[in-house]
Amino acid sequence: MSIPDFLEFGSKLTNLEKTRNFNVFGDYSLDPFRKLIDSHGWRDRKKERLRISVVGTNGKGSVSHFLAGSFSNLGYGTGLYTSPHLFDPKERIRIGPNFDPIDQEDLKEISNILFTESTSEELSFLSWFEWFTLGSFVLFEKKDIAVQIYEAGLGGRLDATKVAEPDILVICAIGEDHKAVLGNTKEAILKEKLGIVSERTRIVFALEPEPSQLKILKEFCSEKNLDLHLFPSLPEGKSYLDHNQEYVKFIVENLQGYISKKLSSLEKTEQVIFKPLPLPPGRLETISDLPFIVFDPAHNPDAIRVTLASLSSAFPGKRFSILAGFLPDKEGESMAEKLFDYTKIQNTNLYFLDSKEFKLPEGYGSYSVLPEKLSEILKPIRNAEGLLVLGSFRLYSYIKA
């Protein structure tokens, strides 16, 4: 029997990231996914593990990458599962110390396990995100990965990464995004994300939220008997990447005793080499020096505000024109207003990508640019020292191609 290709099989599954049909969550349950993987033991811990779930609206991708680098520097075999990807879905599953995207051999190994122990028919009900989540479980256990970090995709209570049953929960900044699924307020969204907690969870780390959210967080941790550690929220004038590195340092330092006890039986690598944490791809990333182009995936009002505020610290002395692209389910008008105000103060240019994929914010027709005209925008810009591209992960391929 021939073993199906992992990516090819996944391409036939329902992919909500592409369809944007989040209405399906009204009737969604994790139970079928949980029952499937438990019937095969695919999420069982072969040894003692440290599984960390990272949730939040903004910053969870960079925090997840920094956590992975930190634990790898400590000498632990570390696996990282994130979403979405920039170019290639293989980017979602990485293993230290280099954290390159998994290669074709890794995918073959996952497929051999899944299709030897199951059938295509049994697996065909999975969603594309569940499929990749399952792939990370199988590969991390197969390779005996001690520290496993799972970035939630959407929410927490209904997110496929919930079945990892995290020992540690890390909460990043809460903002208003995917409100049709998660709730219309930050308080409701926080509750959805807290739903990722399992009976295994012992410790919660969080960026200190607004008082109304903090009350919910403290009551939840008290009810569940969870240790809560708070870290200050992002101060004005500081790059969010610098702040998230400090947050991760705080997390790792506070986990030292817990880790040494929980993972005492695990051998570390022979030589621990401490090195600077690499910056996560696609976050305030310099794409080109001439012309100077920076990419960031900010795609909700809070993230836009934080990214704009981070520019002066991350790129001192530089002014930016902006190219943005917003998916139809985003609050384009609210974000466009913030971008307009920034470029007006900076005396720079503002562009919005207008295509079938990206929706032009209402009232900003004169700022539109068609995809075939992008090459003109990506040239050196008069009266500006750089171009900031943001609004969606999907824009990355437009400017990197």
Side-chain angles (χ1 to χ4, degrees):
M1 180 188 72
S2 62
I3 301 295
D5 177 80
F6 183 88
L7 294 179
E8 183 178 340
F9 184 84
S11 69
K12 299 174 183 177
L13 303 175
T14 301
N15 187 344
L16 299 182
E17 292 177 24
K18 282 189 175 181
T19 65
R20 314 299 292 178
N21 181 26
F22 297 121
N23 293 328
V24 299
F25 278 103
D27 299 317
Y28 179 75
S29 170
L30 278 173
D31 288 343
F33 182 45
R34 185 182 290 109
K35 289 177 181 177
L36 170 69
I37 62 177
D38 283 349
S39 67
H40 295 281
W42 285 332
R43 66 167 173 169
D44 291 351
R45 306 179 187 213
K46 296 179 180 178
K47 293 182 182 177
E48 193 61 71
R49 305 292 189 209
L50 181 68
R51 287 182 177 171
I52 302 175
S53 283
V54 183
V55 303
T57 309
N58 300 315
K60 62 182 185 289
S62 59
V63 166
S64 297
H65 277 84
F66 291 143
L67 279 170
S70 297
F71 282 109
S72 182
N73 278 350
L74 288 173
Y76 294 107
T78 306
L80 174 64
Y81 177 65
T82 63
S83 64
H85 59 270
L86 297 170
F87 265 134
D88 190 322
K90 293 195 292 294
E91 299 166 16
R92 296 177 178 233
I93 306 176
R94 302 170 185 260
I95 293 176
N98 295 322
F99 295 103
D100 295 322
I102 57 170
D103 57 28
Q104 199 60 39
E105 290 304 311
D106 288 328
L107 292 178
K108 286 182 180 179
E109 190 164 19
I110 296 171
S111 289
N112 284 333
I113 293 171
L114 294 178
F115 291 107
T116 299
E117 300 177 10
S118 184
T119 65
S120 297
E121 289 75 19
E122 188 179 9
L123 298 168
S124 61
F125 79 89
L126 296 173
S127 71
W128 194 84
F129 186 76
E130 289 172 335
W131 179 240
F132 270 82
T133 304
L134 173 57
S136 69
F137 289 156
V138 168
L139 187 66
F140 292 166
E141 287 304 315
K142 175 67 176 178
K143 292 186 175 292
D144 194 23
I145 301 299
V147 178
Q148 303 173 7
I149 298 166
Y150 298 92
E151 177 193 355
L154 178 64
R157 180 177 63 91
L158 297 177
D159 196 85
T161 61
K162 176 182 171 70
V163 300
E165 296 190 335
D167 305 285
I168 308 296
L169 173 60
V170 174
I171 305 173
C172 301
I174 302 296
E176 295 182 357
D177 198 4
H178 300 297
K179 292 194 291 187
V181 178
L182 303 180
N184 290 319
T185 67
K186 291 182 181 180
E187 291 74 21
I189 293 170
L190 173 60
K191 290 179 181 178
E192 278 292 313
K193 295 183 184 295
L194 287 171
I196 205 166
V197 162
S198 76
E199 292 183 359
R200 286 182 176 269
T201 310
R202 295 292 177 266
I203 304 173
V204 174
F205 292 90
L207 293 174
E208 187 162 355
E210 301 163 1
S212 58
Q213 298 173 56
L214 183 57
K215 182 174 183 292
I216 292 170
L217 182 58
K218 286 183 174 180
E219 290 177 349
F220 179 87
C221 290
S222 176
E223 178 184 335
K224 301 287 185 180
N225 197 28
L226 303 172
D227 291 334
L228 174 62
H229 299 264
L230 297 172
F231 189 75
S233 58
L234 177 66
E236 289 293 331
K238 190 168 194 173
S239 163
Y240 76 83
L241 287 179
D242 291 341
H243 185 253
N244 286 348
Q245 283 206 54
E246 293 175 2
Y247 182 31
V248 167
K249 182 181 179 182
F250 169 80
I251 292 169
V252 175
E253 287 177 347
N254 278 275
L255 281 178
Q256 287 296 321
Y258 179 85
I259 295 170
S260 60
K261 181 179 179 181
K262 185 174 181 62
L263 302 181
S264 59
S265 63
L266 295 180
E267 294 183 6
K268 296 185 179 182
T269 54
E270 292 184 4
Q271 184 177 8
V272 180
I273 302 176
F274 291 93
K275 53 187 178 181
L277 298 178
L279 296 179
R283 277 77 171 181
L284 290 177
E285 178 184 345
T286 300
I287 301 297
S288 167
D289 289 315
L290 189 66
F292 192 73
I293 300 175
V294 172
F295 176 84
D296 193 84
H299 57 269
N300 60 67
D302 284 329
I304 293 287
R305 174 183 56 78
V306 167
T307 293
L308 294 179
S310 297
L311 293 177
S312 59
S313 174
F315 308 100
K318 292 190 179 293
R319 296 181 302 125
F320 289 88
S321 288
I322 294 177
L323 168 66
F326 299 133
L327 297 175
D329 59 329
K330 299 298 180 181
E331 298 180 41
E333 287 70 33
S334 174
M335 292 186 283
E337 185 177 351
K338 295 180 186 299
L339 298 179
F340 176 80
D341 290 342
Y342 172 85
T343 54
K344 185 177 180 180
I345 293 172
Q346 298 291 319
N347 190 28
T348 53
N349 299 314
L350 176 61
Y351 308 95
F352 292 102
L353 193 59
D354 185 11
S355 69
K356 291 182 179 179
E357 186 174 23
F358 297 101
K359 181 182 178 183
L360 185 67
E362 188 174 343
Y364 288 87
S366 60
Y367 299 90
S368 66
V369 58
L370 298 174
E372 56 267 27
K373 297 291 184 179
L374 269 184
S375 59
E376 299 176 12
I377 304 299
L378 299 180
K379 293 177 181 178
I381 302 165
R382 187 183 61 179
N383 297 328
E385 295 188 15
L387 177 69
L388 172 65
V389 182
L390 81 179
S392 171
F393 280 95
R394 300 186 189 188
L395 275 170
Y396 194 83
S397 59
Y398 279 77
I399 60 172
K400 286 283 284 189

